[in-house]
Amino acid sequence: MNAADRQQGPLAGHTVVDLSRALAGPHAGMMLADLGARVIKVENPGTGDDTRGWGPPFVGPEDDLQSTYFMSCNRNKESISLDLKSSDGQAVLRGLLERADVVIENFRPGVMDRLGFSTAAMHELNPRLVILSITGFGHDGPESQRSGYDQILQGEAGLMSLTGSGPDDPQRVGVPIADLLAGMNGATGVLAALVERERTGQGKVVRTSLLASLIGVHAFQGTRATVAGEVPQAQGNHHPSIAPYGLFNCKDGSVQISVGSEKLWASFAAAFGLDPAAPGFASNADRVRNRQEVIAAVERAFAQYGAVELLEKLNDAGIPAGKVRSLDEVYAWEQVASQGLVVDVEHPLLGTVSLPGPPLRFFAQGDAAETTVKDHAAPPLLDADGGSIREWLGLVPVAAADAPAGAE
C-alpha cells in the first residue's frame, strides 16, 4: 500500500511535514503515520536522511543498497527531496506548511530561523500549525547550541551511570533510548496540541529534547537523588530497591524473577525451601540490605534446575519470571505475532519485508471489533513521491521550474 493512499486511523485527514532526520524526529513522525496521518518526509537531494547511509547492514541490489536503520523509523511516509536553501525548495516547503497540520524539525536552535522559517514565520503562513521541535539539550539555556546525539546524552543525562555491571562499568542502553523517548514525547505533545487546537483554533509550538526525555524517565532513581540525597550507581542485573528481583543463574543458564511483594516472597520461599523469616530476609528492606546473601541463597536453590523446568516451577508458584531472548527468538515468538508487533510491507526494491510493528492497538466500544490500522507502507525510496506531492500543491516539477525560458 502506498503511504498516500492510507486514510485510516485516528489521525486520518491530518497532514504532517517531517523535516527531521536521524531518529528522534523521524520516530515521532512514524508514530503519527502509524495513527493514520499523512506524513511527508522532506529530505536532502542526492543523499536523503542521514540514516540512509548508516550501516551495515544494508540490503537490496548492489547499485541501490537500502539501510535497515532508515527502515526502522520511516514506514508509512512519503518522500520528497528539497534543497531548502533554494527558491524552489522554499516555495515547495511554504506550500506544504500552508496545508499541514503538523511540522516536525530537529535542527539545532536557529537553523530554521536562518532558512526563513522561524516559528513566527510558519505561524504567519498557517496559524493552525502545530510545530514540534526536538533538540539535544533544549532550545534555550547555556548549552542549547550543543549537538545532541543519543549516546552523548545517555552519558550527560546520567543514564550510563545507572547502567552496567557496577559503578566502574558505565554502559549505554542497547537501543538509542534518548532518541526514541524524545520521539515518543514529541508525538504525545503533538497530540495534546491538536486536541487543544480543537478548542482554540490555534496551533502552537511543542518543544522537547533528548536531555529532557531521559531525565523525565529517571523515575525512582531520580527521587533517590533529589529526595533521599543518594547518588544511584549501576549494579548490574539486580533491582536497587526490590529483592530478589533480577537475573539468576540456574543449572544450564539463567532466568529472571521479580519478587515484588511480601506475599510473593512467602510463595517463593515455600516453593524453594527457604525460610521467609530468616534473619536478614524477613522484609524487602532487609533483603535489599543483604542483597548478596539473598542472591546466593536463590542461586543455591536454583542450581538443581534447568531453565525450562525452573520457569515451569516458578509459574506454578505464581512468581513472575522469564528468560532472556535473542531478537530472532523475539520475532519468532507467537505472542509477539498475536499483538501485531511484526508487520509485512511491500518494498519496491526488496519485495515483502517484515518490520517491527506499532505498539498501539485500538478497539471499538465494548471491544466489539479491533480498529487498529493493519495496512502499512514500506519506508519510501528517496524522492519517491516528489512528483505527486508537487502536483498536489499545484506546482510544476522541479526540472521545469529550473529550466531557462523557452527551453523544452
Side-chain angles (χ1 to χ4, degrees):
M1 167 178 277
N2 186 283
D5 296 329
R6 300 172 68 250
Q7 295 293 322
Q8 308 173 62
L11 292 183
H14 289 75
T15 298
V16 177
V17 177
D18 184 358
L19 300 175
S20 64
R21 65 266 188 264
L23 183 56
H27 190 76
M30 185 173 70
M31 291 182 67
L32 300 175
D34 287 341
L35 293 173
R38 181 186 185 187
V39 178
I40 298 172
K41 184 176 182 67
V42 176
E43 302 187 67
N44 290 328
T47 56
D49 190 312
D50 296 344
T51 59
R52 289 189 184 272
W54 287 3
F58 296 101
V59 293
E62 286 296 325
D63 62 347
D64 200 359
L65 290 172
Q66 304 294 304
S67 162
T68 60
Y69 198 117
F70 176 85
M71 297 178 72
S72 74
C73 52
N74 288 290
R75 67 171 170 260
N76 294 327
K77 299 181 185 180
E78 304 167 58
S79 171
I80 183 171
S81 60
L82 298 176
D83 177 359
L84 296 182
K85 295 181 180 179
S86 71
S87 58
D88 172 77
Q90 294 200 352
V92 174
L93 181 54
R94 279 193 296 272
L96 289 171
L97 295 175
E98 288 170 350
R99 292 162 175 78
D101 298 282
V102 178
V103 63
I104 302 171
E105 62 90 5
N106 62 350
F107 296 106
R108 275 192 289 181
V111 171
M112 290 294 289
D113 293 28
R114 291 193 292 274
L115 289 171
F117 292 96
S118 65
T119 56
M122 288 192 281
H123 276 146
E124 186 174 346
L125 284 170
N126 181 354
R128 290 177 55 82
L129 187 65
V130 172
I131 302 169
L132 170 60
S133 179
I134 302 176
T135 55
F137 290 84
H139 81 287
D140 53 8
E143 300 189 43
S144 61
Q145 292 298 317
R146 293 179 63 183
S147 295
Y149 283 85
D150 181 89
Q151 188 164 334
I152 294 171
L153 266 299
Q154 286 198 37
E156 291 275 24
L159 191 63
M160 289 177 68
S161 76
L162 304 173
T163 309
S165 61
D168 298 323
D169 180 34
Q171 294 284 328
R172 61 184 284 274
V173 176
V175 296
I177 192 66
D179 281 322
L180 295 169
L181 288 170
M184 294 169 66
N185 286 334
T188 301
V190 164
L191 296 175
L194 288 173
V195 170
E196 185 181 49
R197 191 182 70 174
E198 292 298 305
R199 184 174 71 252
T200 66
Q202 300 293 307
K204 63 172 33 180
V205 182
V206 178
R207 299 190 187 278
T208 191
S209 67
L210 277 64
L211 177 65
S213 295
L214 287 182
I215 291 176
V217 294
H218 278 175
F220 66 91
Q221 298 283 36
T223 49
R224 285 179 70 186
T226 64
V227 179
E230 299 179 3
V231 181
Q233 296 179 321
Q235 57 182 63
N237 290 315
H238 291 276
H239 199 287
S241 302
I242 306 171
Y245 185 148
L247 184 71
F248 293 84
N249 295 318
C250 60
K251 184 166 66 175
D252 62 357
S254 58
V255 300
Q256 300 206 94
I257 62 171
S258 174
V259 182
S261 69
E262 298 305 338
K263 181 179 179 181
L264 282 173
W265 170 243
S267 298
F268 178 83
F272 290 94
L274 301 175
D275 178 4
F281 285 23
S283 72
N284 180 69
D286 291 334
R287 296 191 295 276
V288 169
R289 283 191 288 267
N290 296 285
R291 181 186 315 282
Q292 294 307 316
E293 291 84 353
V294 172
I295 292 172
V298 170
E299 291 192 337
R300 283 195 300 271
F302 284 1
Q304 62 183 297
Y305 299 101
V308 173
E309 180 187 8
L310 179 55
L311 286 170
E312 291 178 354
K313 184 174 179 66
L314 288 162
N315 183 66
D316 290 343
I319 307 301
K323 64 179 183 177
V324 177
R325 297 174 187 263
S326 62
L327 287 194
D328 58 335
E329 292 178 309
V330 170
Y331 290 119
W333 188 9
E334 184 178 354
Q335 183 63 22
V336 167
S338 76
Q339 300 305 299
L341 295 172
V342 181
V343 297
D344 290 338
V345 297
E346 292 301 318
H347 192 277
L349 293 180
L350 307 176
T352 303
V353 295
S354 296
L355 303 175
L360 295 173
R361 298 171 69 191
F362 295 88
F363 295 82
Q365 290 187 8
D367 279 351
E370 184 167 1
T371 60
T372 307
V373 175
K374 299 292 183 67
D375 296 322
H376 297 276
L381 299 179
L382 178 60
D383 201 37
D385 309 283
S388 62
I389 291 169
R390 287 172 177 274
E391 183 178 354
W392 174 60
L393 296 175
L395 299 173
V396 294
V398 64
D402 288 352
E408 291 296 325

